[in-house]
Amino acid sequence: MAPMKGFCVLVAALAAGVAARAAELERSTPEAEGVPSSAITAWIDACERELDAVHGFVIVRHGRTIAEGWWRPFSADRTHMLYSHSKSFTSTAVGLLADDGKLDLDERVVDLFPDKVPSAPSTNLGLLRIRDLLTMNTGMPFTDPERKDPAGDWVELFLANEVKDLPGTKYRYDSCATYMLSAIVEKKTGRRLMDFLGERLFRPIGIEKAWSTTSPQGIACGGWGMNMTTRELARFGQLYLQQGRWGDRQVVSTNWVRLATSYQTSTGRPGDGDWSQGYGFQFWRCRHNCYRADGAFGQYTVVMPDQDAVVSIHAGLGPMSRELDLVWKHLLPAMRAAPLPADPAAQRVLADRCAKLALKPVAGSGAGAAAPGRTYVLKGEQKRLFLRDVRLDVQDGGWEIVFGGPCGEQRIPVGFGAWREGAARFETDPFETLGGLVGEQPTAASGAWTAPDTFRARIYLHGTTFRLDLVFTFKADGTLALATDLFGMGGGKSRLVGTPR
């Protein structure tokens, strides 16, 4: 997704580009770093067999990239929505200020925003500290100011919530607690969060493409909204694995890395799974003495201190636990302490596998009995998209889907047996509520006739986790039945009826 007005954007200057190249992770073979290439191939096979769908990955061992790949239409050079993986970057900004002596974790939040505090603040609100925001122990119910009043002042709305429990005593995951951390960093520095991180974190470790959406006040969302490439996530994980050091520079203090990634609070979840291992300062603890930055629909950077390894993944899938299970099953036990004998044959298989990764296009015929080209006015209850009309046109060996909606007419190219790229707008908000589709979204679409009267299309919004499945059924009476299924936050299924215009 291209950055739009109102977003915080990192523009890479020449000097930053030089720094990024110097920071590029070295490359090595899996066997040279103690990992069988066949184990990584088996993991890729399992991901394709059991998950829908992984978008890209980078595996780092002993500071060197040993494997990476992206399922087309996703690619190495494109940024991808992070969701809550953003939180770990916001936490790092807090850590940088703590390292500088410009922030105390026990500072009271009400003292930082005296003009935003309710006229009669409760005792519990007065006890809320920065530390409690970091550990999700605010004492509040789910605050969600960006949904209560999307155009309002999110800091003021957060502080207006009832603090039912004593801060610091009860974990409750809340993305808007992290938004408050973003607001604190911006207030303390007098700078935008992404500009501050750009100078202190991103450029020193070679992150060039990071950008974030913002609140109506122009403050970075903090708990969501950041976008980066998979390689950039791997560098971040490697920085933490190296105890905050990059080359000859201590970017973040070892003390902060220890605090942020160690057990700070119970998540209150039963069992012994990866969501029950405790929570740090906006990092999750994992099984096997690992920890992770974690975002909805499968955005992960998993740091494995005992194995000296990092695995970063972008994805667009539902239940996320299986994604971690496959890392523990295939990758972690394959990591040996010493280099392995070279295995050119297995390395060639892995390299070929990574080079040819692609999400399957829609299968079917290139032509149907129904005649496209007619515009249909749509009626029916919709989930999220609010389409007014639709048309399917034949175009250049494929098709074009033309939508009318809140953003006017949008044209999406659709390939046959391949992914065809384009761009479209779906929502009009100038800022991002959680999981929003702000601005122009890059698309990649494939379609086919699966019956004489039925056309199916899948559209990936490939800067995000979202995908849209459409089924056009052209009826004998001249009407259209359109089934839509939007995968992503706030998505769902709709069944619409179209009448010819």
Side-chain angles (χ1 to χ4, degrees):
M1 181 165 69
M4 304 296 295
K5 183 179 179 181
F7 293 173
C8 298
V9 185
L10 290 179
V11 180
L14 178 60
V18 172
R21 286 191 293 275
E24 185 72 47
L25 294 176
E26 294 180 17
R27 297 177 184 276
S28 183
T29 65
E31 280 74 16
E33 308 308 324
V35 183
S37 293
S38 59
I40 300 176
T41 301
W43 173 73
I44 292 171
D45 290 342
C47 287
E48 290 198 324
R49 186 173 60 250
E50 301 182 38
L51 303 175
D52 183 17
V54 178
H55 296 162
F57 72 90
V58 176
I59 302 173
V60 180
R61 185 93 199 277
H62 302 324
R64 297 175 177 87
T65 299
I66 59 171
E68 59 179 19
W70 289 266
W71 280 258
R72 288 185 296 277
F74 297 87
S75 64
D77 60 331
R78 288 177 167 136
T79 61
H80 192 287
M81 182 183 286
L82 299 189
Y83 284 108
S84 288
H85 194 303
S86 308
K87 291 177 170 67
S88 300
F89 289 100
T90 304
S91 168
T92 303
V94 173
L96 290 167
L97 287 177
D99 289 346
D100 293 345
K102 295 179 179 178
L103 177 148
D104 188 320
L105 299 185
D106 291 318
E107 284 184 74
R108 301 193 316 158
V109 176
V110 293
D111 294 336
L112 295 165
F113 301 101
D115 57 328
K116 308 288 187 183
V117 176
S119 57
S122 67
T123 299
N124 278 354
L125 178 62
L127 296 173
L128 181 64
R129 305 163 297 170
I130 294 174
R131 184 186 303 275
D132 303 322
L133 298 174
L134 284 165
T135 60
M136 301 290 189
N137 278 257
T138 66
M140 297 181 181
F142 192 62
T143 56
D144 216 6
E146 50 87 22
R147 289 177 191 255
K148 290 179 181 176
D149 183 4
D153 185 319
W154 293 1
V155 169
E156 190 172 309
L157 286 163
F158 181 91
L159 295 173
N161 279 283
E162 180 184 2
V163 187
K164 291 185 175 181
D165 300 298
L166 184 67
T169 64
K170 188 173 182 180
Y171 172 89
R172 200 177 199 288
Y173 191 81
D174 185 353
S175 291
C176 293
T178 320
Y179 173 76
M180 291 297 294
L181 294 172
S182 177
I184 289 168
V185 171
E186 295 201 5
K187 188 175 182 69
K188 289 271 189 180
T189 62
R191 304 175 65 188
R192 297 303 188 195
L193 173 70
M194 299 301 278
D195 292 336
F196 175 67
L197 283 173
E199 177 189 345
R200 296 291 300 276
L201 174 66
F202 296 152
R203 286 193 284 276
I205 69 172
I207 293 177
E208 290 184 292
K209 296 188 175 184
W211 60 275
S212 178
T213 53
T214 68
S215 72
Q217 291 71 47
I219 298 169
C221 295
W224 68 96
M226 292 190 195
N227 298 259
M228 296 180 204
T229 70
T230 325
R231 287 172 176 164
E232 289 172 337
L233 299 189
R235 290 179 194 153
F236 178 64
Q238 187 64 28
L239 174 73
Y240 268 78
L241 181 62
Q242 295 169 175
Q243 296 295 301
R245 193 165 189 84
W246 197 268
D248 60 358
R249 180 173 179 177
Q250 191 71 40
V251 178
V252 187
S253 73
T254 300
N255 183 57
W256 179 261
V257 172
R258 178 184 61 80
L259 287 171
T261 64
S262 61
Y263 181 103
Q264 296 289 342
T265 185
S266 168
T267 62
R269 305 207 182 180
D272 58 0
D274 288 300
W275 278 263
S276 304
Q277 304 302 310
Y279 195 72
F281 288 166
Q282 311 280 297
F283 285 85
W284 292 84
R285 294 293 305 171
C286 303
R287 289 175 287 170
H288 310 293
N289 191 38
C290 300
Y291 59 88
R292 70 188 187 275
D294 176 320
F297 305 109
Q299 321 319 308
Y300 283 133
T301 293
V302 181
V303 180
M304 308 177 182
D306 296 344
Q307 290 74 31
D308 193 24
V310 173
V311 179
S312 287
I313 307 172
H314 276 132
L317 49 85
M320 295 163 55
S321 60
R322 187 59 181 155
E323 190 176 355
L324 288 174
D325 289 343
L326 294 181
V327 172
W328 309 143
K329 179 178 179 180
H330 293 280
L331 297 181
L332 184 145
M335 295 178 179
R336 317 292 168 76
L340 300 173
D343 191 343
Q347 291 167 15
R348 285 194 296 271
V349 169
L350 174 60
D352 184 66
R353 193 81 171 81
C354 291
K356 294 180 179 178
L357 292 173
L359 298 174
K360 292 181 180 179
V362 177
S365 172
R374 177 177 288 179
T375 298
Y376 295 85
V377 178
L378 299 171
K379 291 186 178 180
E381 185 176 348
Q382 297 194 47
K383 300 277 188 179
R384 187 80 186 262
L385 294 177
F386 307 112
L387 306 176
R388 292 195 297 264
D389 53 66
V390 68
R391 186 174 77 247
L392 177 66
D393 290 339
V394 176
Q395 185 190 69
D396 300 330
W399 302 270
E400 183 177 67
I401 297 173
V402 184
F403 286 128
C407 298
E409 184 178 270
Q410 305 297 315
R411 296 175 175 269
I412 300 176
V414 180
F416 174 55
W419 298 99
R420 186 170 290 181
E421 304 217 0
R425 287 175 175 265
F426 294 90
E427 296 181 352
T428 58
D429 286 341
F431 52 85
E432 186 194 16
T433 53
L434 184 57
L437 293 172
V438 182
E440 189 173 75
Q441 300 285 335
T443 63
S446 170
W449 292 89
T450 55
D453 63 349
T454 303
F455 180 82
R456 293 178 179 269
R458 170 162 283 192
I459 303 168
Y460 281 99
L461 311 184
H462 57 74
T464 77
T465 60
F466 286 87
R467 68 175 179 265
L468 174 62
D469 289 317
L470 301 169
V471 181
F472 295 75
T473 303
F474 297 90
K475 300 289 190 178
D477 62 3
T479 63
L480 169 71
L482 179 65
T484 73
D485 186 357
L486 179 66
F487 175 87
M489 195 163 286
K493 298 180 180 182
S494 300
R495 294 188 176 275
L496 308 176
V497 175
T499 55
R501 177 171 288 171

